[in-house]
mmCIF file of all heavy atoms in Angstrom:
data_model
loop_
_atom_site.group_PDB
_atom_site.id
_atom_site.type_symbol
_atom_site.label_atom_id
_atom_site.label_comp_id
_atom_site.label_asym_id
_atom_site.label_seq_id
_atom_site.Cartn_x
_atom_site.Cartn_y
_atom_site.Cartn_z
ATOM 1 N N TYR Z 1 37.623 88.382 61.660
ATOM 2 C CA TYR Z 1 38.860 88.824 62.198
ATOM 3 C C TYR Z 1 39.632 89.635 61.163
ATOM 4 O O TYR Z 1 39.523 89.399 59.965
ATOM 5 C CB TYR Z 1 39.729 87.622 62.609
ATOM 6 C CG TYR Z 1 39.041 86.706 63.575
ATOM 7 C CD1 TYR Z 1 38.438 85.537 63.126
ATOM 8 C CD2 TYR Z 1 38.951 87.007 64.913
ATOM 9 C CE1 TYR Z 1 37.775 84.674 64.012
ATOM 10 C CE2 TYR Z 1 38.287 86.142 65.816
ATOM 11 C CZ TYR Z 1 37.708 85.018 65.310
ATOM 12 O OH TYR Z 1 37.039 84.181 66.213
ATOM 13 N N SER Z 2 40.486 90.553 61.645
ATOM 14 C CA SER Z 2 41.207 91.405 60.760
ATOM 15 C C SER Z 2 42.550 90.806 60.333
ATOM 16 O O SER Z 2 43.033 90.955 59.279
ATOM 17 C CB SER Z 2 41.484 92.801 61.426
ATOM 18 O OG SER Z 2 40.247 93.443 61.756
ATOM 19 N N GLU Z 3 43.140 90.115 61.251
ATOM 20 C CA GLU Z 3 44.494 89.504 60.998
ATOM 21 C C GLU Z 3 44.430 88.003 61.060
ATOM 22 O O GLU Z 3 43.728 87.434 61.883
ATOM 23 C CB GLU Z 3 45.495 90.041 62.064
ATOM 24 C CG GLU Z 3 45.748 91.513 62.048
ATOM 25 C CD GLU Z 3 46.394 92.035 60.715
ATOM 26 O OE1 GLU Z 3 47.060 91.251 60.085
ATOM 27 O OE2 GLU Z 3 46.093 93.185 60.364
ATOM 28 N N GLU Z 4 45.160 87.386 60.187
ATOM 29 C CA GLU Z 4 45.288 85.919 60.093
ATOM 30 C C GLU Z 4 45.641 85.339 61.433
ATOM 31 O O GLU Z 4 45.113 84.313 61.831
ATOM 32 C CB GLU Z 4 46.282 85.582 59.037
ATOM 33 C CG GLU Z 4 46.162 84.115 58.564
ATOM 34 C CD GLU Z 4 45.046 83.961 57.520
ATOM 35 O OE1 GLU Z 4 44.747 84.945 56.809
ATOM 36 O OE2 GLU Z 4 44.521 82.861 57.412
ATOM 37 N N SER Z 5 46.546 86.022 62.164
ATOM 38 C CA SER Z 5 47.056 85.422 63.403
ATOM 39 C C SER Z 5 46.059 85.427 64.534
ATOM 40 O O SER Z 5 46.245 84.780 65.534
ATOM 41 C CB SER Z 5 48.326 86.206 63.800
ATOM 42 O OG SER Z 5 47.971 87.527 64.046
ATOM 43 N N THR Z 6 44.987 86.247 64.393
ATOM 44 C CA THR Z 6 44.020 86.325 65.492
ATOM 45 C C THR Z 6 42.944 85.275 65.463
ATOM 46 O O THR Z 6 42.146 85.178 66.326
ATOM 47 C CB THR Z 6 43.374 87.720 65.498
ATOM 48 O OG1 THR Z 6 42.571 87.891 64.319
ATOM 49 C CG2 THR Z 6 44.354 88.824 65.571
ATOM 50 N N LYS Z 7 42.901 84.472 64.407
ATOM 51 C CA LYS Z 7 41.818 83.510 64.227
ATOM 52 C C LYS Z 7 42.022 82.375 65.250
ATOM 53 O O LYS Z 7 43.044 81.699 65.226
ATOM 54 C CB LYS Z 7 41.761 83.021 62.789
ATOM 55 C CG LYS Z 7 41.405 84.051 61.813
ATOM 56 C CD LYS Z 7 41.483 83.575 60.376
ATOM 57 C CE LYS Z 7 41.266 84.770 59.464
ATOM 58 N NZ LYS Z 7 41.437 84.423 58.039
ATOM 59 N N ASP Z 8 41.023 82.156 66.028
ATOM 60 C CA ASP Z 8 41.087 81.111 67.050
ATOM 61 C C ASP Z 8 39.745 80.322 67.031
ATOM 62 O O ASP Z 8 38.862 80.603 67.770
ATOM 63 C CB ASP Z 8 41.347 81.700 68.410
ATOM 64 C CG ASP Z 8 41.472 80.637 69.523
ATOM 65 O OD1 ASP Z 8 41.467 79.446 69.180
ATOM 66 O OD2 ASP Z 8 41.489 81.012 70.673
ATOM 67 N N TYR Z 9 39.689 79.314 66.197
ATOM 68 C CA TYR Z 9 38.444 78.597 66.020
ATOM 69 C C TYR Z 9 38.114 77.722 67.183
ATOM 70 O O TYR Z 9 36.987 77.241 67.313
ATOM 71 C CB TYR Z 9 38.433 77.834 64.690
ATOM 72 C CG TYR Z 9 38.610 78.722 63.507
ATOM 73 C CD1 TYR Z 9 39.714 78.609 62.634
ATOM 74 C CD2 TYR Z 9 37.620 79.672 63.144
ATOM 75 C CE1 TYR Z 9 39.805 79.406 61.499
ATOM 76 C CE2 TYR Z 9 37.733 80.500 62.070
ATOM 77 C CZ TYR Z 9 38.835 80.378 61.233
ATOM 78 O OH TYR Z 9 38.953 81.149 60.165
ATOM 79 N N GLN Z 10 39.130 77.496 68.086
ATOM 80 C CA GLN Z 10 38.826 76.719 69.262
ATOM 81 C C GLN Z 10 37.863 77.527 70.165
ATOM 82 O O GLN Z 10 37.212 77.007 71.008
ATOM 83 C CB GLN Z 10 40.100 76.395 70.038
ATOM 84 C CG GLN Z 10 40.968 75.363 69.280
ATOM 85 C CD GLN Z 10 40.184 74.112 68.896
ATOM 86 O OE1 GLN Z 10 39.886 73.968 67.755
ATOM 87 N NE2 GLN Z 10 39.865 73.276 69.857
ATOM 88 N N HIS Z 11 37.819 78.899 69.931
ATOM 89 C CA HIS Z 11 36.905 79.732 70.696
ATOM 90 C C HIS Z 11 35.801 80.217 69.746
ATOM 91 O O HIS Z 11 35.294 81.350 69.871
ATOM 92 C CB HIS Z 11 37.634 80.903 71.340
ATOM 93 C CG HIS Z 11 38.425 80.481 72.516
ATOM 94 N ND1 HIS Z 11 39.684 80.006 72.460
ATOM 95 C CD2 HIS Z 11 38.075 80.406 73.845
ATOM 96 C CE1 HIS Z 11 40.149 79.660 73.639
ATOM 97 N NE2 HIS Z 11 39.210 79.892 74.535
ATOM 98 N N SER Z 12 35.411 79.375 68.836
ATOM 99 C CA SER Z 12 34.272 79.595 67.957
ATOM 100 C C SER Z 12 32.989 79.149 68.753
ATOM 101 O O SER Z 12 32.975 78.128 69.383
ATOM 102 C CB SER Z 12 34.354 78.785 66.693
ATOM 103 O OG SER Z 12 33.080 78.501 66.137
ATOM 104 N N TYR Z 13 31.946 80.013 68.681
ATOM 105 C CA TYR Z 13 30.712 79.649 69.376
ATOM 106 C C TYR Z 13 30.153 78.349 68.799
ATOM 107 O O TYR Z 13 29.770 77.459 69.583
ATOM 108 C CB TYR Z 13 29.709 80.785 69.219
ATOM 109 C CG TYR Z 13 28.406 80.530 69.893
ATOM 110 C CD1 TYR Z 13 28.155 80.890 71.175
ATOM 111 C CD2 TYR Z 13 27.318 79.843 69.195
ATOM 112 C CE1 TYR Z 13 26.972 80.657 71.829
ATOM 113 C CE2 TYR Z 13 26.156 79.662 69.825
ATOM 114 C CZ TYR Z 13 25.918 80.017 71.153
ATOM 115 O OH TYR Z 13 24.732 79.795 71.772
ATOM 116 N N GLU Z 14 30.098 78.274 67.521
ATOM 117 C CA GLU Z 14 29.510 77.024 66.894
ATOM 118 C C GLU Z 14 30.299 75.798 67.246
ATOM 119 O O GLU Z 14 29.695 74.792 67.657
ATOM 120 C CB GLU Z 14 29.562 77.138 65.373
ATOM 121 C CG GLU Z 14 28.447 78.045 64.754
ATOM 122 C CD GLU Z 14 28.437 77.892 63.244
ATOM 123 O OE1 GLU Z 14 29.517 77.991 62.626
ATOM 124 O OE2 GLU Z 14 27.341 77.644 62.680
ATOM 125 N N ILE Z 15 31.619 75.833 67.141
ATOM 126 C CA ILE Z 15 32.401 74.635 67.436
ATOM 127 C C ILE Z 15 32.265 74.242 68.880
ATOM 128 O O ILE Z 15 32.119 73.026 69.221
ATOM 129 C CB ILE Z 15 33.875 74.862 67.033
ATOM 130 C CG1 ILE Z 15 33.985 75.036 65.508
ATOM 131 C CG2 ILE Z 15 34.758 73.762 67.577
ATOM 132 C CD1 ILE Z 15 35.380 75.386 65.052
ATOM 133 N N THR Z 16 32.346 75.212 69.778
ATOM 134 C CA THR Z 16 32.223 74.888 71.221
ATOM 135 C C THR Z 16 30.872 74.324 71.543
ATOM 136 O O THR Z 16 30.761 73.359 72.308
ATOM 137 C CB THR Z 16 32.524 76.145 72.018
ATOM 138 O OG1 THR Z 16 33.757 76.705 71.662
ATOM 139 C CG2 THR Z 16 32.533 75.817 73.552
ATOM 140 N N ALA Z 17 29.823 74.922 70.992
ATOM 141 C CA ALA Z 17 28.461 74.450 71.258
ATOM 142 C C ALA Z 17 28.247 73.013 70.742
ATOM 143 O O ALA Z 17 27.595 72.192 71.383
ATOM 144 C CB ALA Z 17 27.458 75.370 70.635
ATOM 145 N N ARG Z 18 28.775 72.748 69.560
ATOM 146 C CA ARG Z 18 28.676 71.360 69.029
ATOM 147 C C ARG Z 18 29.400 70.365 69.928
ATOM 148 O O ARG Z 18 28.917 69.244 70.122
ATOM 149 C CB ARG Z 18 29.320 71.307 67.619
ATOM 150 C CG ARG Z 18 28.465 71.922 66.501
ATOM 151 C CD ARG Z 18 29.227 72.014 65.206
ATOM 152 N NE ARG Z 18 28.461 72.572 64.137
ATOM 153 C CZ ARG Z 18 27.812 71.849 63.191
ATOM 154 N NH1 ARG Z 18 27.921 70.545 63.224
ATOM 155 N NH2 ARG Z 18 27.122 72.421 62.231
ATOM 156 N N ARG Z 19 30.531 70.739 70.515
ATOM 157 C CA ARG Z 19 31.220 69.871 71.408
ATOM 158 C C ARG Z 19 30.387 69.545 72.643
ATOM 159 O O ARG Z 19 30.344 68.415 73.091
ATOM 160 C CB ARG Z 19 32.584 70.483 71.783
ATOM 161 C CG ARG Z 19 33.589 69.590 72.442
ATOM 162 C CD ARG Z 19 34.174 68.536 71.540
ATOM 163 N NE ARG Z 19 34.568 69.116 70.245
ATOM 164 C CZ ARG Z 19 35.659 69.817 69.987
ATOM 165 N NH1 ARG Z 19 36.487 70.074 70.976
ATOM 166 N NH2 ARG Z 19 35.948 70.192 68.816
ATOM 167 N N VAL Z 20 29.825 70.596 73.221
ATOM 168 C CA VAL Z 20 29.039 70.410 74.438
ATOM 169 C C VAL Z 20 27.762 69.584 74.158
ATOM 170 O O VAL Z 20 27.496 68.619 74.896
ATOM 171 C CB VAL Z 20 28.609 71.790 75.022
ATOM 172 C CG1 VAL Z 20 27.612 71.614 76.164
ATOM 173 C CG2 VAL Z 20 29.875 72.557 75.492
ATOM 174 N N LEU Z 21 27.081 69.856 73.087
ATOM 175 C CA LEU Z 21 25.791 69.184 72.806
ATOM 176 C C LEU Z 21 26.039 67.772 72.215
ATOM 177 O O LEU Z 21 25.144 66.918 72.380
ATOM 178 C CB LEU Z 21 24.950 69.999 71.831
ATOM 179 C CG LEU Z 21 24.470 71.356 72.384
ATOM 180 C CD1 LEU Z 21 23.774 72.161 71.300
ATOM 181 C CD2 LEU Z 21 23.499 71.143 73.547
ATOM 182 N N GLY Z 22 27.187 67.573 71.567
ATOM 183 C CA GLY Z 22 27.457 66.217 70.995
ATOM 184 C C GLY Z 22 27.589 65.151 72.015
ATOM 185 O O GLY Z 22 27.325 63.975 71.737
ATOM 186 N N ALA Z 23 28.012 65.512 73.221
ATOM 187 C CA ALA Z 23 28.045 64.596 74.350
ATOM 188 C C ALA Z 23 29.083 63.463 74.184
ATOM 189 O O ALA Z 23 28.962 62.425 74.837
ATOM 190 C CB ALA Z 23 26.652 63.972 74.656
ATOM 191 N N ALA Z 24 30.044 63.683 73.301
ATOM 192 C CA ALA Z 24 31.078 62.694 73.146
ATOM 193 C C ALA Z 24 32.133 62.759 74.281
ATOM 194 O O ALA Z 24 32.339 63.842 74.858
ATOM 195 C CB ALA Z 24 31.789 62.876 71.797
ATOM 196 N N PRO Z 25 32.797 61.655 74.584
ATOM 197 C CA PRO Z 25 33.906 61.713 75.579
ATOM 198 C C PRO Z 25 34.978 62.649 75.050
ATOM 199 O O PRO Z 25 35.095 62.942 73.889
ATOM 200 C CB PRO Z 25 34.410 60.267 75.620
ATOM 201 C CG PRO Z 25 33.243 59.442 75.153
ATOM 202 C CD PRO Z 25 32.539 60.310 74.122
ATOM 203 N N GLU Z 26 35.797 63.153 75.995
ATOM 204 C CA GLU Z 26 36.919 63.985 75.610
ATOM 205 C C GLU Z 26 37.852 63.310 74.631
ATOM 206 O O GLU Z 26 38.116 62.126 74.802
ATOM 207 C CB GLU Z 26 37.714 64.448 76.849
ATOM 208 C CG GLU Z 26 36.905 65.409 77.746
ATOM 209 C CD GLU Z 26 36.620 66.725 77.040
ATOM 210 O OE1 GLU Z 26 37.528 67.410 76.626
ATOM 211 O OE2 GLU Z 26 35.388 67.017 76.879
ATOM 212 N N HIS Z 27 38.390 64.095 73.701
ATOM 213 C CA HIS Z 27 39.283 63.455 72.697
ATOM 214 C C HIS Z 27 40.575 63.059 73.413
ATOM 215 O O HIS Z 27 41.041 63.678 74.342
ATOM 216 C CB HIS Z 27 39.527 64.375 71.485
ATOM 217 C CG HIS Z 27 40.056 65.678 71.805
ATOM 218 N ND1 HIS Z 27 39.320 66.729 72.331
ATOM 219 C CD2 HIS Z 27 41.329 66.195 71.742
ATOM 220 C CE1 HIS Z 27 40.036 67.833 72.532
ATOM 221 N NE2 HIS Z 27 41.270 67.502 72.186
ATOM 222 N N VAL Z 28 41.218 62.049 72.843
ATOM 223 C CA VAL Z 28 42.413 61.471 73.464
ATOM 224 C C VAL Z 28 43.630 62.241 73.190
ATOM 225 O O VAL Z 28 44.447 62.551 74.095
ATOM 226 C CB VAL Z 28 42.573 59.993 72.999
ATOM 227 C CG1 VAL Z 28 43.862 59.391 73.590
ATOM 228 C CG2 VAL Z 28 41.389 59.181 73.360
ATOM 229 N N ASP Z 29 43.818 62.618 71.898
ATOM 230 C CA ASP Z 29 45.039 63.414 71.468
ATOM 231 C C ASP Z 29 44.603 64.191 70.283
ATOM 232 O O ASP Z 29 43.411 64.218 69.921
ATOM 233 C CB ASP Z 29 46.232 62.540 71.232
ATOM 234 C CG ASP Z 29 46.019 61.412 70.209
ATOM 235 O OD1 ASP Z 29 45.351 61.674 69.198
ATOM 236 O OD2 ASP Z 29 46.450 60.261 70.485
ATOM 237 N N LYS Z 30 45.559 64.804 69.556
ATOM 238 C CA LYS Z 30 45.239 65.714 68.496
ATOM 239 C C LYS Z 30 44.626 64.966 67.301
ATOM 240 O O LYS Z 30 44.001 65.603 66.463
ATOM 241 C CB LYS Z 30 46.499 66.432 67.996
ATOM 242 C CG LYS Z 30 47.586 65.539 67.439
ATOM 243 C CD LYS Z 30 48.796 66.354 67.045
ATOM 244 C CE LYS Z 30 49.965 65.451 66.500
ATOM 245 N NZ LYS Z 30 51.121 66.242 66.101
ATOM 246 N N TYR Z 31 44.774 63.572 67.245
ATOM 247 C CA TYR Z 31 44.248 62.850 66.134
ATOM 248 C C TYR Z 31 43.231 61.821 66.517
ATOM 249 O O TYR Z 31 42.627 61.166 65.645
ATOM 250 C CB TYR Z 31 45.381 62.160 65.411
ATOM 251 C CG TYR Z 31 46.331 63.046 64.635
ATOM 252 C CD1 TYR Z 31 47.683 62.786 64.526
ATOM 253 C CD2 TYR Z 31 45.843 64.194 63.944
ATOM 254 C CE1 TYR Z 31 48.541 63.575 63.818
ATOM 255 C CE2 TYR Z 31 46.676 65.007 63.224
ATOM 256 C CZ TYR Z 31 48.062 64.711 63.170
ATOM 257 O OH TYR Z 31 48.904 65.492 62.475
ATOM 258 N N THR Z 32 42.934 61.647 67.761
ATOM 259 C CA THR Z 32 42.039 60.559 68.208
ATOM 260 C C THR Z 32 40.870 61.195 68.959
ATOM 261 O O THR Z 32 41.108 61.808 69.988
ATOM 262 C CB THR Z 32 42.771 59.556 69.073
ATOM 263 O OG1 THR Z 32 43.934 59.075 68.417
ATOM 264 C CG2 THR Z 32 41.822 58.353 69.353
ATOM 265 N N PHE Z 33 39.662 61.001 68.452
ATOM 266 C CA PHE Z 33 38.507 61.538 69.121
ATOM 267 C C PHE Z 33 37.315 60.570 68.951
ATOM 268 O O PHE Z 33 37.347 59.712 68.058
ATOM 269 C CB PHE Z 33 38.133 62.890 68.603
ATOM 270 C CG PHE Z 33 37.655 62.903 67.167
ATOM 271 C CD1 PHE Z 33 36.315 62.930 66.836
ATOM 272 C CD2 PHE Z 33 38.542 62.849 66.051
ATOM 273 C CE1 PHE Z 33 35.880 62.905 65.561
ATOM 274 C CE2 PHE Z 33 38.125 62.851 64.786
ATOM 275 C CZ PHE Z 33 36.764 62.881 64.491
ATOM 276 N N PHE Z 34 36.348 60.669 69.845
ATOM 277 C CA PHE Z 34 35.132 59.914 69.752
ATOM 278 C C PHE Z 34 34.062 60.796 69.066
ATOM 279 O O PHE Z 34 33.612 61.767 69.609
ATOM 280 C CB PHE Z 34 34.660 59.462 71.125
ATOM 281 C CG PHE Z 34 35.687 58.618 71.853
ATOM 282 C CD1 PHE Z 34 36.671 59.140 72.628
ATOM 283 C CD2 PHE Z 34 35.605 57.234 71.681
ATOM 284 C CE1 PHE Z 34 37.587 58.352 73.268
ATOM 285 C CE2 PHE Z 34 36.524 56.413 72.369
ATOM 286 C CZ PHE Z 34 37.524 56.979 73.115
ATOM 287 N N PRO Z 35 33.628 60.339 67.887
ATOM 288 C CA PRO Z 35 32.767 61.234 67.064
ATOM 289 C C PRO Z 35 31.365 61.307 67.618
ATOM 290 O O PRO Z 35 30.804 60.302 68.145
ATOM 291 C CB PRO Z 35 32.819 60.584 65.676
ATOM 292 C CG PRO Z 35 33.118 59.179 65.919
ATOM 293 C CD PRO Z 35 34.005 59.114 67.160
ATOM 294 N N SER Z 36 30.736 62.436 67.420
ATOM 295 C CA SER Z 36 29.260 62.630 67.606
ATOM 296 C C SER Z 36 28.711 63.045 66.249
ATOM 297 O O SER Z 36 29.451 63.426 65.373
ATOM 298 C CB SER Z 36 28.989 63.649 68.677
ATOM 299 O OG SER Z 36 29.218 64.969 68.155
ATOM 300 N N ALA Z 37 27.388 62.996 66.133
ATOM 301 C CA ALA Z 37 26.760 63.434 64.885
ATOM 302 C C ALA Z 37 27.128 64.896 64.579
ATOM 303 O O ALA Z 37 27.178 65.295 63.393
ATOM 304 C CB ALA Z 37 25.257 63.228 64.991
#
């Protein structure tokens, strides 16, 4: 990305794919989540 403000890691391919494949339940809030490997 060119500008600091445009970085949106929630739309990172890697992060999103890890979430789908990890098969963990949806996280509860910003600090509580069920971990996968």
